[in-house]
Amino acid sequence: MTDSPAVRIPLDPKEQPVLDQLLAIRSKLELLKQDRSTYVKSQDVLELYDAVIEQVVIVNEIRTTKRLEQNRVDTVLDDCFQLISLAYMTIGKNHEAPAVYSFISTTKRLLDHLKEATFYSPKDLESIDSRIKDCRRYIERGKEHYSPHLLTLLDARIKVCEETLADLKLTLSHLTPDLTPKYDKLVSILRSLSACNTRTKFPNEEVDDYFEQLKQIHEELKPYGIVAFESTGTKEEKIAEMVEKLQLTIDQPEPAPEAKKLIETLLQRNFLWVTLIKSKQGRIAIAFQEPYEKLKGIWSNLEKLMLTQAWSLRETDLWSYQRQLDRIDESRVDGNFVDALGRPAELYEQRTLLYLLRKSYGTIYHLIVSSEPVSEALLPIYNQLTTLRKCLIEVKKLGGVSSTREMYPYSMKLNSIDNMRIDGKFMIGNEIPDGQGSLTHLLAECFDLAYELRNDAEDSSSPVVTPSSESGNEGPAK
C-alpha cells in the first residue's frame, strides 16, 4: 500500500481509537477500489463516507483547544477523504461536495508548482479558475445534504487555491496583448524542450528546430527592448553565467514583474535549457536515477490511462498515483531534490525531475476534470452511445446515407439500447445508478441524428418531378 508521507508528531492517546477506525475504513475503501469483479456500489460508498464523518466529529471534539495539530490521524483522514472523493466520481456523483476534495487537493499541488515554476500560460489559469468556480457551486448546493465539517474543510482549501490563483494572475498582469502570444509561445517551447529531454532517444533535430524558433522570437522581441544575455568565453563559462543570472532572478521574485522583465527571464531560461539538454543528452546523474525512473514510470502509466480512460479508468485508481507523487514532492528539501547524502541536485536534474512531477500532477488533474458524471455500472452503455453518436455525426459530415437501408445497423443498435430501459431508467439489478440524465440525453441525441439522416435519405431517393414529366404527351409550347 502507498501511504501518505509520515507525520512524526506524538499521538494523543484519546485519538488512538479514531486512528484505528480510520485505518479500518481506509482498508475497506482500498478493497472496494481493488475489487474488479463488480462495480462500485453507491450504498457502499455512502456508508463509508458517513463512517469517516463520524470520526471527524470525534476528532474535533478532542481537539477543541488544539485545532491546528497535525499527526498521523490527519494523514490517514486525508487518505480516506481522497478515496471517498474518487469513489464518488466512480459512482457518477462528480458534482457532489465530497467529489470536490480530490480535485482541490490536486489543484492545490498544481498551483503551487505553477507558482514555483514562475512561467505558465494564461490558459492554464483560465481552466483552473473555471473549475474552482464549479466547485464553489457544488459546495453551495450541498449545504443541506452534507456535513458542515466537510464543507468547512473544503471551503478553507478552496480559499487557499483562490489566493494562490490570484497571485499567479498578478504575475501576468502586465502582459500586453501584443506580447502575450510571444510569451505563450515561449512557455510552450520550454515545456516541449523538457518533453524532448525525457524521451528514450534524445531528438537532436527537434531540439535544434526549437532553438531556431527561439532565435526567431528573440529577433521579434528586440524592438521591445527584450534581449537575451550575451557572453564571451567557453561554453562552460556561458552556462555558468546563465545559471548565476537566472538564480538571482528566481531568488528575488517581484510581486508583479513588468512584461519586459518576465519575458526576458523566460527567454533566457529557454536558451539555457537548450544548452543544458543538448550537452546532457538525457543522461541523469546516478544519484538521481532512481527518482527519475520512478517518476517516468508514473507518468507513463498515467499517459496510458489517458488513452484508455473511457473504457478502463476507475477513478479510485488515481489514488495510488497521487500518493506516490505526494511522497516524492514532500521529500524535497527547500524545494530541491536531494541525494542519499542530502546534497541538492544540479540544475539539470532538478529541472528534469520537476518537469516529470508537474506533468504527472497535470495528467491527474486532466483525468479528474474529464471524468464523466456517470456511474461505473453504466459506463459500458455510455461508451456505446458516445461511439454511436460520433459515427452518426461523421456519416452526416460525409454527406449522409444513400438509402434508408444503410441506417438499419444504427437503428437496430439504438433500439437495443433503448430496450434496456425499465420505466425509462437504465437499471443494474434493482439499483438505479447515477448518470441517468447523461445517458438519456445521449440516447435522444442519437435518435435525432438517425432521424435526420433517414429523412435526408428518403428525400434524395424520391423521384424528381420535372416540367416535361408534368406536361405528359403534350407537344412543345408554341
Side-chain angles (χ1 to χ4, degrees), residues 9-16 19 63 69 71-73:
I9 296 177
L11 184 67
D12 186 329
K14 293 179 182 178
E15 294 187 13
Q16 186 61 50
L19 177 60
R63 295 183 182 178
E69 182 169 322
N71 56 39
R72 193 167 180 233
V73 168

Side-chain angles (χ1 to χ4, degrees), residues 52-83:
V52 171
I53 293 299
E54 185 180 328
Q55 298 308 310
V56 171
V57 173
I58 296 172
V59 171
N60 286 342
E61 289 173 352
I62 294 172
R63 295 183 182 178
T64 51
T65 58
K66 45 182 180 178
R67 292 294 187 195
L68 300 180
E69 182 169 322
Q70 293 283 303
N71 56 39
R72 193 167 180 233
V73 168
D74 300 274
T75 60
V76 178
L77 182 60
D78 182 63
D79 287 346
C80 291
F81 271 130
Q82 291 276 15
L83 280 163

